[in-house]
Amino acid sequence: MTAIWTGVSGMLSYSQGIANTSNNLANTNTVGYKSSRMLFADMISELAGSTTDTNSQIGMGVQVGTVSMSTGVGAIATGDQSMDMAIDGEHGYFTVKDPVSDKTYYTRAGDFNFNTDGYLVSPTGNRVQGWAVDQAAVTQAERTGSVLPEVPVTGDPTDIRITDFTLPAQATGSVSMITNLDSLTDPGILDATDPYCSMFKSYDAANTPPATAAYTSDIKVYDAEGGAHSLTVNYSKVTDTGGKEYWEYMVTVPPADDGSSVTGGTSKAGVLMIGTLTFSAQGVLENQTAFTPTGGDPTDLSSWTQAPLDSTGVPQMSATFKSVSNGSVLSSQTMGFKTGLSASGASWNPNGPSSAADIGTLAAANAGFDPSSTRNAVACTTSYATSSYTQAQSQDGFASGTLNSTSVDENGVVSGTFSNGQTKDLYVLALADFRNPTDLRREGNNLLSATTESGAATTGRANSGIYDGISGYSLESSNVDMATEMVNLITLQRAFQSNSKVVTTADTMMEKALEIKK
């Protein structure tokens, strides 16, 4: 009888092994599927006959020991959708949540897409989890020129959802104009009492651009409604003196666009900032002044006082635009004006001119920044003996746009590309990992759940810490090795046949024993 039960245990165990192998083979083409490995264990043994030697034992058969999940990475194949994604390594699982039960699951299958409600979901409707990008921090970094080590996020992981497929307009908050001003340019027509403000004093809103400008450079900026306005930076050579070169500059917008209560409707309508640039004999920008109107008569230079500086030491100007749609006056917006030079202490020279009127005819009065506290950016305005030209220009405003496409990068950042040419980071995927992922519980539909044996999930970002990166427009194939599984299937089949032979042999023995009794 013992031999029969031993053979039956083998048949039962190996039939389960065949079922496990069959399941692996059936999921050869399942996205992100992880094959299962079945290990067998012997059953309790008993003493052989009546011997008292505890080492003389006869086994009682075989049983299934463990069934563990193989965490090996499947081949990465090209996906068909923009939100198809794969994890480039063993460390990391996508986190999804069932919207009905609110239960959290984990998966390696990255065949996601946005549904009609704007949620990023799996094929079965589970919502992908991630952190919302901190848009305020991104904008602040862009305007101050700060380099962020990673895309900033805010709050806890949540459903990734695009609620509005439009990108609102963003008012320009920073303008960068990097030029080269030809050092061989002749000085313009100078005012006798205020030569360093000659261009401004000759400016008339009814006759733009200034006749005395030696070089101008234009850039399109945007108001809060997304309306576009042309911003012009005018430059005029003043003098070469004391081994230095001095230029006057003036930042303007079309007078008809100026809704300011100070300059609007006056002869200085459209002027946002005036100032001077000081260059060394080698053409390097080494100092700058910047003045903006603070009230009073805009034609009076004493009404143009030192512009405020942002935290990085860049002068700021205020613009009050008229709406391009209905001509109404919009709220004032602050714009930083970058020439490439800034004050490292974010403050003006205490001995410098407090207003444009304080410069007068003194070249030394153009030291707006403390000469010992200035810094030049890699891209900085220069004055070399070559034709004046614009080296680089940029601004951070834009009109509203509609979403054209989405993508995900190697760091798990989900971005949207909009019809206005802007690309905006929206979410950062939340990946999970486990102390023992081989013991995760299979829930069907490519879903896994944490168990006591696997340990609780730890959450992190792709390409940080232990977590691997993301491949966009890709899918991870099943890690089933068909050749290995076919060999296992043959081996298990032979083992099943051998155990069935044990049963039939034991049956024959019992039959012979019964014949002897007869």
Side-chain angles (χ1 to χ4, degrees):
M1 288 293 293
T2 300
I4 292 179
W5 289 116
T6 298
V8 169
S9 72
M11 293 175 67
L12 291 173
S13 297
Y14 292 125
S15 65
Q16 292 181 18
I18 292 172
N20 182 71
T21 301
S22 299
N23 183 62
N24 287 340
L25 288 171
N27 285 281
T28 299
N29 293 318
T30 301
V31 175
Y33 176 79
K34 300 300 179 184
S35 61
S36 295
R37 183 180 69 161
M38 180 176 285
L39 299 178
F40 299 98
D42 63 340
M43 300 180 73
I44 192 171
S45 300
E46 65 178 4
L47 293 177
S50 60
T51 180
T52 59
D53 184 358
T54 57
N55 290 325
S56 299
Q57 295 177 298
I58 298 176
M60 299 293 289
V62 65
Q63 62 184 335
V64 175
T66 60
V67 180
S68 60
M69 184 177 70
S70 172
T71 59
V73 181
I76 304 298
T78 302
D80 298 324
Q81 306 292 333
S82 63
M83 284 291 97
D84 285 343
M85 58 190 79
I87 300 173
D88 284 331
E90 292 188 25
H91 295 289
Y93 293 81
F94 298 113
T95 306
V96 298
K97 184 172 287 188
D98 187 327
V100 178
S101 66
D102 203 39
K103 185 174 181 179
T104 300
Y105 297 101
Y106 310 94
T107 182
R108 293 281 297 194
D111 47 345
F112 305 132
N113 213 337
F114 286 100
N115 65 13
T116 55
D117 294 323
Y119 290 99
L120 183 63
V121 297
S122 68
T124 54
N126 292 307
R127 297 171 181 173
V128 183
Q129 302 297 292
W131 292 277
V133 172
D134 188 342
Q135 301 298 339
V138 171
T139 300
Q140 178 66 15
E142 290 174 347
R143 291 182 172 174
T144 59
S146 303
V147 178
L148 298 173
E150 60 184 9
V151 176
V153 297
T154 180
D156 297 322
T158 185
D159 298 339
I160 293 179
R161 185 186 188 190
I162 300 178
T163 55
D164 187 352
F165 289 86
T166 62
L167 180 65
Q170 176 174 292
T172 298
S174 176
V175 176
S176 177
M177 186 68 71
I178 310 300
T179 58
N180 176 71
L181 303 175
D182 187 356
S183 62
L184 301 180
T185 302
D186 293 328
I189 301 174
L190 302 180
D191 183 84
T193 56
D194 299 292
Y196 296 95
C197 299
S198 299
M199 183 169 52
F200 169 73
K201 293 186 73 173
S202 66
Y203 173 90
D204 187 343
N207 184 24
T208 54
T212 56
Y215 180 69
T216 62
S217 186
D218 299 321
I219 189 172
K220 185 181 295 184
V221 296
Y222 294 87
D223 59 37
E225 292 182 342
H229 304 268
S230 178
L231 182 143
T232 304
V233 185
N234 308 270
Y235 302 91
S236 179
K237 175 79 168 284
V238 179
T239 184
D240 291 302
T241 183
K244 299 182 186 298
E245 187 172 341
Y246 298 88
W247 285 71
E248 177 188 1
Y249 72 90
M250 181 169 58
V251 184
T252 65
V253 294
D257 294 358
D258 188 358
S260 169
S261 61
V262 177
T263 56
T266 71
S267 62
K268 302 303 180 184
V271 181
L272 304 182
M273 177 183 284
I274 61 175
T276 58
L277 304 173
T278 303
F279 298 92
S280 68
Q282 291 74 38
V284 177
L285 181 60
E286 62 180 27
N287 218 314
Q288 176 180 357
T289 61
F291 307 99
T292 54
T294 55
D297 182 2
T299 64
D300 186 350
L301 288 175
S302 62
S303 297
W304 292 76
T305 59
Q306 286 180 331
L309 299 176
D310 67 13
S311 60
T312 64
V314 171
Q316 297 176 308
M317 54 192 173
S318 178
T320 304
F321 290 113
K322 291 182 179 179
S323 171
V324 297
S325 59
N326 57 23
S328 61
V329 177
L330 304 177
S331 298
S332 175
Q333 64 189 73
T334 300
M335 296 187 289
F337 178 64
K338 299 178 181 179
T339 61
L341 186 72
S342 59
S344 57
S347 62
W348 291 109
N349 181 358
N351 298 318
S354 59
S355 73
D358 294 334
I359 298 178
T361 60
L362 299 175
N366 288 284
F369 293 143
D370 184 339
S372 64
S373 302
T374 59
R375 55 190 171 197
N376 293 73
V378 174
C380 189
T381 296
T382 57
S383 182
Y384 299 142
T386 184
S387 300
S388 297
Y389 67 96
T390 301
Q391 303 179 51
Q393 60 174 220
S394 63
Q395 61 84 41
D396 61 359
F398 47 80
S400 62
T402 56
L403 184 66
N404 284 340
S405 62
T406 55
S407 62
V408 61
D409 68 10
E410 66 274 9
N411 296 318
V413 179
V414 178
S415 304
T417 301
F418 296 82
S419 59
N420 57 4
Q422 298 296 311
T423 298
K424 182 178 181 181
D425 296 334
L426 304 172
Y427 287 90
V428 177
L429 289 167
L431 297 187
D433 202 22
F434 301 86
R435 182 181 67 252
N436 182 24
T438 59
D439 282 329
L440 288 169
R441 177 182 176 85
R442 297 182 187 272
E443 302 287 355
N445 292 319
N446 287 333
L447 300 177
L448 304 166
S449 62
T451 63
T452 303
E453 292 77 14
S454 70
T458 57
T459 305
R461 301 164 60 138
N463 267 339
S464 67
I466 63 172
Y467 300 93
D468 292 305
I470 302 290
S471 286
Y473 240 110
S474 303
L475 290 174
E476 181 184 2
S477 303
S478 167
N479 69 349
V480 173
D481 185 338
M482 292 186 65
T484 300
E485 298 300 332
M486 291 302 295
V487 170
N488 289 341
L489 185 62
I490 294 172
T491 302
L492 292 167
Q493 180 187 15
R494 294 306 182 196
F496 183 89
Q497 290 177 337
S498 297
N499 280 271
S500 66
K501 185 64 175 177
V502 169
V503 173
T504 57
T505 300
D507 179 62
T508 300
M509 293 172 60
M510 291 182 65
E511 183 179 355
K512 291 297 184 182
L514 290 174
E515 289 178 356
I516 292 173
K517 181 180 179 181
K518 292 178 181 180

